[in-house]
């Protein structure tokens, strides 16, 4: 991928280079940039007025060294509760693993007010709005990358990122300026991007665990490696 094509795919980079006003760090709750997703959001608001039904912000301290990037809010998970990975199966496995490896403290109770806090860790998504069938379109992933890039840019101590699934991996590569051909997605792989190590994992969705694509042990091994690398500074 050329430098120019990376710029075209990343509105934050384009804005930086053009000298235009900096893009917002977080999307407006009525962000209109992906018309299909904005429409889906409106339908969800009409159907479930008590749900969050807005772009889901990152969770955790910008001073953290670890960033975890998922695909997009789950319809009945983060889209319902407003906190990444909160309220559906993917969150059960993710937060249990983070608690085990010291990246979270408290008790995860699948609610944004459960008091759980992240430790040296932040969680975000490649796409901030819930997509139909959990499948964002390539244009939507490209458009929302400005917010992922902004998340990265506001993490001065960032040393490790875990991409949950291929979409998060590809979007992180573009945000970090790595070529896809140089860093193919593979569960358990690690790619170096300047000071940041990008670790790949299959997404911790119920579908992946039910079909045996990902086991809890496979998932634990990814975080065990991240923990060890951060602890040893390697
Ligand atoms: S997915 Fe991102 S860019 Fe698209 S409408 Fe939602 S917040 Fe805006």
């Amino acid at each position: 991928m050329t430098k120019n094509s990376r710029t075209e795919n990343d509105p934050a980079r384009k804005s930086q280079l053009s000298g235009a006003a900096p893009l917002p760090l977080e999307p407006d709750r009525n962000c209109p940039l992906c018309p299909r997703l904005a429409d889906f959001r409106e339908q969800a608001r009409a159907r479930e007025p008590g749900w969050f039904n807005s772009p889901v912000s990152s969770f955790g301290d910008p001073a953290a060294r670890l960033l975890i990037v998922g695909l997009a809010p789950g319809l009945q998970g983060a889209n319902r509760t407003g906190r990444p990975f909160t309220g559906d199966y993917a969150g059960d496995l993710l937060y249990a693993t983070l608690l085990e490896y010291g990246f979270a403290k408290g008790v995860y109770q699948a609610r944004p007010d459960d008091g759980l806090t992240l430790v040296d860790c932040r969680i975000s998504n490649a796409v901030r709005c819930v997509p139909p069938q959990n499948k964002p379109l390539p244009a939507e992933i490209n458009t929302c990358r400005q917010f992922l890039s902004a998340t990265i840019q506001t993490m001065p101590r960032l040393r490790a990122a875990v991409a949950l699934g291929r979409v998060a991996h590809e979007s992180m590569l573009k945000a970090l300026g790595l070529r896809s051909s140089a860093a193919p997605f593979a569960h358990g792989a690690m790619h170096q991007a300047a000071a940041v190590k990008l670790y790949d994992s299959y997404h911790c969705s119920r579908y992946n665990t039910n079909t045996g694509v990902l086991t809890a042990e496979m998932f634990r091994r990814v975080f065990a490696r991240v923990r060890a690398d951060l602890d040893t500074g390697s």
Side-chain angles (χ1 to χ4, degrees):
M1 189 187 295
T2 64
K3 186 176 172 189
N4 279 348
S5 65
R6 283 208 304 273
T7 302
E8 279 159 22
N9 284 333
D10 188 337
R13 190 182 289 261
K14 201 157 46 179
S15 165
Q16 233 173 24
L17 293 178
S18 70
L23 291 158
L25 297 180
E26 293 290 338
D28 183 84
R29 75 179 292 274
N30 295 313
C31 180
L33 298 177
C34 306
R36 186 183 76 118
L37 301 189
D39 196 43
F40 193 59
R41 204 170 55 210
E42 285 308 315
Q43 291 173 32
R45 285 177 181 172
R47 198 175 55 245
E48 298 286 354
W51 289 11
F52 184 71
N53 293 323
S54 297
V56 175
S57 295
S58 303
F59 173 39
D61 187 355
R65 290 180 298 166
L66 170 62
L67 174 66
I68 298 166
V69 182
L71 167 61
L75 181 64
Q76 300 193 40
N79 175 67
R80 176 173 61 85
T81 65
R83 191 176 73 180
F85 286 89
T86 298
D88 58 12
Y89 175 81
D92 292 350
L93 180 53
L94 177 63
Y95 285 114
T97 308
L98 295 181
L99 284 161
E100 182 175 351
Y101 286 95
F103 291 116
K105 63 182 179 188
V107 178
Y108 173 67
Q109 293 181 299
R111 302 189 320 262
D113 61 352
D114 57 13
L116 181 111
T117 54
L118 299 179
V119 180
D120 204 13
C121 175
R122 199 177 190 198
I123 306 177
S124 197
N125 277 309
V127 172
R128 300 294 182 94
C129 293
V130 58
Q133 278 89 49
N134 241 359
K135 288 194 172 75
L137 300 174
E140 293 161 351
I141 299 164
N142 285 338
T143 301
C144 207
R145 189 171 308 112
Q146 63 190 285
F147 301 114
L148 179 61
S149 295
T151 297
I152 292 168
Q153 285 161 16
T154 55
M155 297 183 69
R157 298 178 67 237
L158 183 66
R159 292 294 176 272
V162 175
L164 300 178
R166 194 176 296 272
V167 169
H169 165 87
E170 293 288 336
S171 207
M172 279 299 286
L173 289 187
K174 289 178 178 140
L176 293 169
L178 281 181
R179 290 202 316 267
S180 296
S181 58
F185 175 82
H187 178 85
M190 189 276 285
H191 315 280
Q192 189 80 46
V196 178
K197 287 183 165 73
L198 175 64
Y199 302 81
D200 289 341
S201 171
Y202 291 128
H203 194 282
C204 49
S205 65
R206 185 189 290 276
Y207 179 82
N208 278 348
T209 50
N210 278 353
T211 55
V213 168
L214 179 72
T215 64
E217 183 53 30
M218 286 166 68
F219 199 56
R220 291 174 70 250
R221 278 201 291 269
V222 172
F223 284 89
R225 184 177 181 192
V226 173
R227 177 83 274 167
D229 287 353
L230 284 176
D231 285 354
T232 58
S234 59

